[in-house]
């Protein structure tokens, strides 16, 4: 892999390509802010700048590369239209700018794609084809349709025009915060980090580029490091859950990216929650991956000035609520306590009195009389409650046990 002083040579995308892309697309995308986060800096031990790409119109950076590709099509290709396989941000970015430019857009998605993503893409004017059960099925079908109808296939990441467009993110970030010496960039297929690395290595000072992948989908990590870590699972970062990284992007990353790190699902959940609580901004799992890396690999980034790309904000609201509640539970501010009671009048009243004495708010109470391994006279009660912090919760548990109750906190995975 690269060293900080590496200068890119003989790569399929140059800094000139990225600068040309920025000139080409600049009037039609949002120049999103790059802002210093004092609180996250204090938490991580690094000086943290955030690039808010979740503020693009489609809430993701993907429209940069899509627009750069569309603007370079000749008139014949524009008239025939373009096609892509995507169930996420690439689909919406391509659909939005295609409609704006009068270019017909067809998007092929797996049948399992959530209805909201289908409707959002259609809402931008695209024609959606649902086929197959997996992304690979949709991808294969899109290539067939492209050939049959003479459409231009727009790859989500393995295309020089796409890479150059995505690189404009780093171009803006380093212009707005020239003191940045490290970039933490999420990796799915590798388009964003490839473009970002090309920009970083063209600067007149050393800038380190660190890629971040979800631990469940270490596809690029495996390819670059020669490892064989398992790939697959339900990840919060579905935007970077790519099983096969690009050939072009892999070559660029191998040449000029300095390091790759992995983050767990818990790291991603924590990062999403912190961004909402501290920065008041919504990031999807992939969008929060850079911050997750700073939290999980604190020693790797400590003392550095880090640019973190919040690459997208498209997260299901129900999933976001679940992430936030789980984070409150891990911090001890929400808890479920399983308490064994005797089945007699006043049993629950006496327990509730201890909650009152400890100034703990009861949210829900669940009685379990039938489906339990206790004797018939036994009773299990689960009480969900709200506390100030872990210390407050521990005081409550101590008080309940001192009152003679058998108490088991229900732990999160």
């Amino acid at each position: 892999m690269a060293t900080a002083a590496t200068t890119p040579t003989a790569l399929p995308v140059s800094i000139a390509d990225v600068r040309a892309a920025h000139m080409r697309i600049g009037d039609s995308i949002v120049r999103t802010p790059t802002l210093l986060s004092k609180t996250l800096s204090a938490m991580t031990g690094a000086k943290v700048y955030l690039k808010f790409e979740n503020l693009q119109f489609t809430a993701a950076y993907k429209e940069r590369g899509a627009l750069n590709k569309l603007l370079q099509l000749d008139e014949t290709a524009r008239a025939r239209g373009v096609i892509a396989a995507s169930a996420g941000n690439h689909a919406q970015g391509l659909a939005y700018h295609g409609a704006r430019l009068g270019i017909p857009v067809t998007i092929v998605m797996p049948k399992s794609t959530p209805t909201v993503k289908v409707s959002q893409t259609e809402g931008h004017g695209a024609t959606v084809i649902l086929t197959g059960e997996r992304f690979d099925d949709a991808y294969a079908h899109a290539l067939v349709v492209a050939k049959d109808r003479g459409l231009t296939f727009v790859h989500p990441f393995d295309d020089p025009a796409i890479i150059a467009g995505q690189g404009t993110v780093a171009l803006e970030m380093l212009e707005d915060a020239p003191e940045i010496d490290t970039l933490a960039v999420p990796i799915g297929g590798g388009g964003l980090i490839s473009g970002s690395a090309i920009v970083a290595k063209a600067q007149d000072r050393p800038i380190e580029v660190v890629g971040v992948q979800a631990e469940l989908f270490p596809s690029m990590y495996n390819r670059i490091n020669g490892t064989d870590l398992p790939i697959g699972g339900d990840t919060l970062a579905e935007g970077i859950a790519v099983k096969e990284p690009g050939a072009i992007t892999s070559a660029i990353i191998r040449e000029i990216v300095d390091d790759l790190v992995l983050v767990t699902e818990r790291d991603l959940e924590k990062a999403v929650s912190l961004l909402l609580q501290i920065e008041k901004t919504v990031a999807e799992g992939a969008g929060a991956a850079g911050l997750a890396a700073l939290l999980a690999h604190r020693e790797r980034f400590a003392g550095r000035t880090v640019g973190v790309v919040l690459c997208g904000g498209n997260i299901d609201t129900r999933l976001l609520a679940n992430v936030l509640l789980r984070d409150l539970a891990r911090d001890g501010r929400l808890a479920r306590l399983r308490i064994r009671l005797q089945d007699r009048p006043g049993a629950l009243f006496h327990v509730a009195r201890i909650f009152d004495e400890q100034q703990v708010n009861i949210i829900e109470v669940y009685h379990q009389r039938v489906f339990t391994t206790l004797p018939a006279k036994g009773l299990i009660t689960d009480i969900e409650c709200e506390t100030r912090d872990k210390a407050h919760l521990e005081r409550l548990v101590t008080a309940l046990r001192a009152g003679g109750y058998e108490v088991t906190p229900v732990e999160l995975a």
Side-chain angles (χ1 to χ4, degrees):
M1 299 187 74
T3 64
T6 301
T7 299
T9 57
L11 295 176
V13 180
S14 68
I15 184 62
D17 294 327
V18 179
R19 288 174 177 148
H22 198 246
M23 291 291 293
R24 199 176 287 121
I25 70 175
D27 291 339
S28 302
I29 52 103
V30 178
R31 184 177 178 119
T32 57
T34 299
L35 302 174
L36 175 67
S37 175
K38 294 181 180 180
T39 305
L40 292 177
S41 297
M43 289 181 62
T44 61
K47 190 174 184 181
V48 181
Y49 281 93
L50 303 175
K51 174 71 166 165
F52 289 82
E53 280 298 289
N54 56 340
L55 298 182
Q56 292 293 345
F57 180 75
T58 61
Y61 78 98
K62 284 281 191 177
E63 43 179 281
R64 293 173 179 265
L67 178 56
N68 190 47
K69 179 71 174 181
L70 291 172
L71 290 174
Q72 294 182 77
L73 298 177
D74 61 31
E75 290 303 320
T76 300
R78 287 191 181 204
R80 288 179 176 173
V82 299
I83 189 169
S86 172
N89 295 330
H90 179 60
Q92 293 187 53
L94 192 65
Y96 168 61
H97 286 289
R100 200 176 54 77
L101 295 170
I103 300 173
V105 175
T106 301
I107 303 293
V108 184
M109 297 179 171
K111 293 178 181 177
S112 57
T113 302
T115 302
V116 64
K117 291 188 176 183
V118 176
S119 60
Q120 285 175 341
T121 305
E122 290 177 334
H124 289 306
T127 299
V128 174
I129 298 174
L130 295 174
T131 187
E133 298 302 322
R134 302 172 302 146
F135 173 77
D136 291 347
D137 300 328
Y139 182 86
H141 187 69
L143 293 176
V144 171
V145 174
K147 184 177 180 180
D148 289 347
R149 300 183 187 176
L151 306 178
T152 299
F153 181 78
V154 182
H155 199 284
F157 48 82
D158 216 29
D159 181 311
I162 296 292
I163 293 168
Q166 318 305 30
T168 62
V169 172
L171 200 68
E172 293 176 0
M173 190 188 310
L174 294 177
E175 286 179 356
D176 294 344
E179 62 268 45
I180 288 173
D181 58 36
T182 306
L183 296 179
V185 186
I187 299 180
L192 177 60
I193 195 169
S194 293
S196 297
I198 286 164
V199 173
K201 300 308 178 182
Q203 304 303 305
D204 58 3
R205 64 191 188 282
I207 298 179
E208 192 173 33
V209 182
V210 180
V212 186
Q213 283 208 296
E215 194 175 66
L216 290 177
F217 282 84
S219 53
M220 187 68 77
Y221 186 94
N222 281 343
R223 179 168 294 186
I224 300 301
N225 294 309
T227 51
D228 191 28
L229 298 174
I231 297 173
D234 291 326
T235 178
L236 181 63
E238 74 277 356
I240 54 174
V242 174
K243 291 184 177 180
E244 287 295 330
I248 297 173
T249 56
S250 295
I252 294 173
I253 290 169
R254 190 182 301 278
E255 182 73 20
I256 61 171
V257 168
D258 298 281
D259 196 9
L260 302 179
V261 297
L262 302 178
V263 293
T264 67
E265 293 305 298
R266 182 174 290 197
D267 299 328
L268 291 164
E269 289 180 27
K270 185 66 176 179
V272 168
S273 180
L274 283 175
L275 286 166
L276 187 59
Q277 292 179 62
I278 294 171
E279 297 301 327
K280 315 306 178 197
T281 194
V282 175
E284 59 192 85
L291 176 59
L294 269 66
L295 298 170
H297 304 276
R298 183 185 175 95
E299 72 291 342
R300 176 70 179 76
F301 297 96
R304 304 188 69 89
T305 302
V306 186
V308 174
V309 184
L310 306 182
C311 60
N314 289 309
I315 184 171
D316 178 76
T317 51
R318 186 172 58 179
L319 176 59
L320 177 60
N322 191 33
V323 168
L324 296 175
L325 290 172
R326 285 167 63 86
D327 189 57
L328 289 175
R330 290 191 177 115
D331 286 344
R333 294 165 61 191
L334 284 179
R336 175 181 283 195
L337 301 180
R338 183 157 294 162
I339 305 172
R340 182 172 176 171
L341 305 176
Q342 290 183 320
D343 194 4
R344 62 180 58 173
L348 188 58
F349 168 77
H350 291 299
V351 168
R353 187 171 60 187
I354 295 176
F355 277 76
D356 176 58
E357 291 169 354
Q358 296 298 319
Q359 290 295 288
V360 174
N361 185 35
I362 293 175
I363 301 172
E364 296 280 358
V365 178
Y366 306 88
H367 272 323
Q368 181 56 266
R369 294 175 181 272
V370 179
F371 296 100
T372 173
T373 58
L374 295 177
K377 292 287 286 183
L379 173 64
I380 287 289
T381 294
D382 281 2
I383 298 180
E384 288 188 5
C385 59
E386 183 179 20
T387 59
R388 291 189 293 274
D389 50 32
K390 285 184 178 179
H392 191 196
L393 176 60
E394 288 170 2
R395 290 195 296 273
L396 170 66
V397 172
T398 299
L400 287 166
R401 287 172 177 163
Y405 297 101
E406 183 181 313
V407 183
T408 304
V410 179
E411 301 288 342
L412 284 179

